[in-house]
Amino acid sequence: MEDRLHRLNELEAEVGIRFNDRVLLQRAFVHRSYLHEADEETDLQDNQRLEFLGDSVLSFIASELLFRRYPERREGELTNLRSALVKRETLSRFAEELRLGDYLLLGRGEEENGGRGRHTTLCDTYEAFIGALYLDQGESTLRKFLEPRLMAEVDRVAQHALTKDPKSRLQEWVQAAMGQTPRYKTVHTEGPDHARLFTRQVAVGKQPIGVGQGQSKQEAEQAAAAMALFRLGQSIPDYEDSGLAEEYELAPVEMEELQSRQ
């Protein structure tokens, strides 16, 4: 335990924050497996309650940051950016940058199974650390710690997303949010063989969310995906309403509604 306390001092030095409540800091790094395998009674508590708090605080601060940073962006796109900021892979990378896994108290079984480097464990630990930091230092200090990291990440995510084609963007978003893959089908074809015009529809589950036209099926699918993203609140550069949503009687749709139907 003394060695561990010394290593937590190193963490405080790295982040430039000195905790008032040392027990609170220690608790952020107690994995439940450690208590399950403890050989003797201990006053330690695991970090699950702090993880719960940290998850909520992270989501709130990320939401407010995006709201202020991007006043022109619609709700759906802000939701997508927030999801990218607080997803498991992002938070586990934040944890790796601070080497939080090195400070964890783990049970022997969890240690032997590689738990110290597992994305889920690192994400949970980062959330627990955020929860402890919030309780010990308050919102102002937490924001000073979090915002530079979140802003660097959101700039990277936003730039990466805008360089992708609409079909790829839609697939990544739907898979991340719902664990499904958008499905495309041809709803109409017209014109001679040398000048065909395809109309393709994209759906999530049984819910059609976009329709597009093109001289190839691939072109029509990109147009359908662009419409779907726009209707779900995403920013689509140079998007123009084709009127096909009304022609094919697509109902208004939001991501939360889609999720509730699955």
Side-chain angles (χ1 to χ4, degrees), residues 5 24 28 38 43 50 74 101 147 182 199 214 224 234 245 254 257 261:
L5 286 175
L24 190 63
D43 293 331
L50 288 175
R74 303 171 68 188
E147 289 192 355
T199 303
Q234 297 289 291
E254 297 181 356
E257 180 183 353
R261 293 185 179 186

Side-chain angles (χ1 to χ4, degrees), residues 32 37 39 45 63 68 143 147 165 182 206 228:
R32 60 185 178 276
E37 297 181 14
D39 295 328
Q45 299 180 29
S63 297
R68 291 189 280 107
R143 285 182 181 276
E147 289 192 355
D165 62 273
K206 298 181 179 180

Side-chain angles (χ1 to χ4, degrees), residues 40-56:
E40 55 187 31
E41 291 188 8
T42 175
D43 293 331
L44 292 176
Q45 299 180 29
D46 66 43
N47 63 6
Q48 288 184 295
R49 284 170 52 83
L50 288 175
E51 174 196 334
F52 163 78
L53 177 62
D55 175 67
S56 299

Side-chain angles (χ1 to χ4, degrees), residues 161-223:
L162 291 175
T163 61
K164 290 191 174 183
D165 62 273
K167 187 175 177 181
S168 297
R169 286 179 60 186
L170 180 65
Q171 178 166 320
E172 287 187 4
W173 188 22
V174 172
Q175 286 181 335
M178 305 176 61
Q180 295 197 34
T181 300
R183 302 295 181 184
Y184 296 82
K185 70 176 182 179
T186 299
V187 293
H188 187 65
T189 305
E190 60 183 276
D193 289 344
H194 67 280
R196 284 285 178 92
L197 182 66
F198 296 91
T199 303
R200 298 276 282 176
Q201 175 182 282
V202 60
V204 175
K206 298 181 179 180
Q207 176 67 50
I209 59 175
V211 180
Q213 291 181 330
Q215 294 182 328
S216 68
K217 290 182 179 179
Q218 292 79 9
E219 183 180 336
E221 288 177 0
Q222 292 289 356

